[in-house]
Coordinates of all heavy atoms in Angstrom, one line a residue:
K12 N -14.8 6.3 164.5 CA -14.8 7.7 164.4 C -13.5 8.3 164.9 O -12.9 9.1 164.3 CB -15.9 8.4 165.1 CG -17.2 8.5 164.2 CD -18.2 9.3 165.0 CE -19.0 10.1 164.0 NZ -20.1 10.8 164.6
L13 N -13.1 7.8 166.1 CA -11.9 8.3 166.8 C -10.6 8.0 165.9 O -9.8 8.8 165.8 CB -11.8 7.7 168.2 CG -10.7 8.3 169.1 CD1 -10.8 9.9 169.2 CD2 -10.7 7.7 170.4
S14 N -10.6 6.8 165.4 CA -9.4 6.5 164.5 C -9.3 7.4 163.3 O -8.2 7.7 162.9 CB -9.4 5.0 164.2 OG -10.5 4.6 163.4
K15 N -10.5 7.7 162.7 CA -10.5 8.6 161.6 C -10.0 10.0 162.0 O -9.2 10.6 161.3 CB -11.9 8.7 161.0 CG -11.9 9.6 159.7 CD -13.3 9.8 159.2 CE -13.4 10.6 158.0 NZ -12.4 11.7 157.9
I16 N -10.4 10.5 163.1 CA -9.9 11.8 163.6 C -8.4 11.7 163.8 O -7.7 12.7 163.4 CB -10.7 12.2 164.9 CG1 -12.1 12.4 164.7 CG2 -10.0 13.4 165.6 CD1 -13.0 12.6 165.9
F17 N -7.9 10.7 164.4 CA -6.5 10.5 164.6 C -5.7 10.5 163.3 O -4.7 11.2 163.1 CB -6.1 9.2 165.4 CG -6.4 9.3 166.8 CD1 -6.4 8.2 167.6 CD2 -6.8 10.5 167.5 CE1 -6.6 8.2 169.0 CE2 -7.1 10.5 168.8 CZ -7.0 9.4 169.6
R18 N -6.3 9.8 162.3 CA -5.6 9.8 160.9 C -5.6 11.2 160.3 O -4.7 11.6 159.7 CB -6.3 8.9 160.0 CG -5.9 7.4 160.1 CD -6.4 6.6 158.9 NE -7.8 6.7 158.7 CZ -8.7 5.9 159.3 NH1 -8.3 5.0 160.2 NH2 -10.0 6.0 159.1
D19 N -6.7 12.0 160.5 CA -6.8 13.3 159.9 C -5.9 14.3 160.6 O -5.3 15.1 159.9 CB -8.3 13.8 160.0 CG -9.2 13.0 159.1 OD1 -8.8 12.3 158.2 OD2 -10.5 13.1 159.3
I20 N -5.8 14.3 161.9 CA -5.0 15.4 162.5 C -3.6 14.9 162.9 O -2.8 15.8 163.2 CB -5.7 15.9 163.8 CG1 -5.9 14.8 164.9 CG2 -7.1 16.5 163.5 CD1 -6.4 15.3 166.2
K21 N -3.3 13.6 162.9 CA -2.0 13.1 163.2 C -1.4 13.7 164.4 O -0.3 14.4 164.3 CB -1.1 13.3 162.0 CG -1.6 12.5 160.7 CD -0.7 12.8 159.5 CE -1.2 12.1 158.3 NZ -2.5 12.5 157.8
P22 N -1.9 13.5 165.6 CA -1.4 14.2 166.8 C 0.0 13.6 167.2 O 0.3 12.4 166.9 CB -2.4 13.8 167.9 CG -3.0 12.5 167.4 CD -3.0 12.6 165.9
D23 N 0.8 14.5 167.7 CA 2.1 14.0 168.2 C 2.0 13.3 169.5 O 2.8 12.4 169.8 CB 3.0 15.3 168.5 CG 3.4 16.0 167.2 OD1 3.5 15.3 166.1 OD2 3.5 17.2 167.2
M24 N 1.0 13.7 170.3 CA 0.8 13.1 171.7 C -0.7 12.9 171.9 O -1.5 13.8 171.6 CB 1.4 14.0 172.7 CG 1.2 13.6 174.1 SD 2.0 12.0 174.5 CE 2.8 12.3 176.0
I25 N -1.0 11.8 172.5 CA -2.4 11.5 173.0 C -2.3 11.3 174.5 O -1.5 10.5 174.9 CB -3.0 10.4 172.2 CG1 -3.0 10.7 170.7 CG2 -4.4 10.0 172.7 CD1 -3.4 9.5 169.8
N26 N -3.2 11.9 175.2 CA -3.3 11.8 176.6 C -4.7 11.4 177.0 O -5.7 12.1 176.6 CB -2.9 13.1 177.3 CG -2.9 13.0 178.8 OD1 -3.1 11.9 179.4 ND2 -2.8 14.1 179.5
A27 N -4.9 10.3 177.7 CA -6.2 9.9 178.1 C -6.3 9.8 179.6 O -5.3 9.6 180.3 CB -6.5 8.5 177.5
H28 N -7.5 9.9 180.1 CA -7.7 9.8 181.6 C -8.5 8.5 181.9 O -9.4 8.1 181.1 CB -8.6 11.0 182.1 CG -7.8 12.3 182.0 ND1 -7.3 12.9 183.1 CD2 -7.4 13.1 181.0 CE1 -6.6 14.0 182.8 NE2 -6.7 14.1 181.5
Y29 N -8.1 7.9 182.9 CA -8.7 6.6 183.4 C -8.1 5.5 182.4 O -8.5 5.5 181.3 CB -10.2 6.6 183.5 CG -10.7 7.5 184.5 CD1 -11.3 8.7 184.2 CD2 -10.6 7.2 185.9 CE1 -11.7 9.6 185.2 CE2 -11.1 8.0 186.8 CZ -11.6 9.2 186.5 OH -12.1 10.1 187.4

Side-chain angles (χ1 to χ4, degrees):
K12 270 186 150 177
L13 189 55
S14 61
K15 183 184 180 327
I16 292 169
F17 286 171
R18 275 194 306 273
D19 291 345
I20 65 173
K21 298 176 182 69
D23 294 328
M24 175 65 133
I25 297 169
N26 181 9
H28 291 256
Y29 295 103

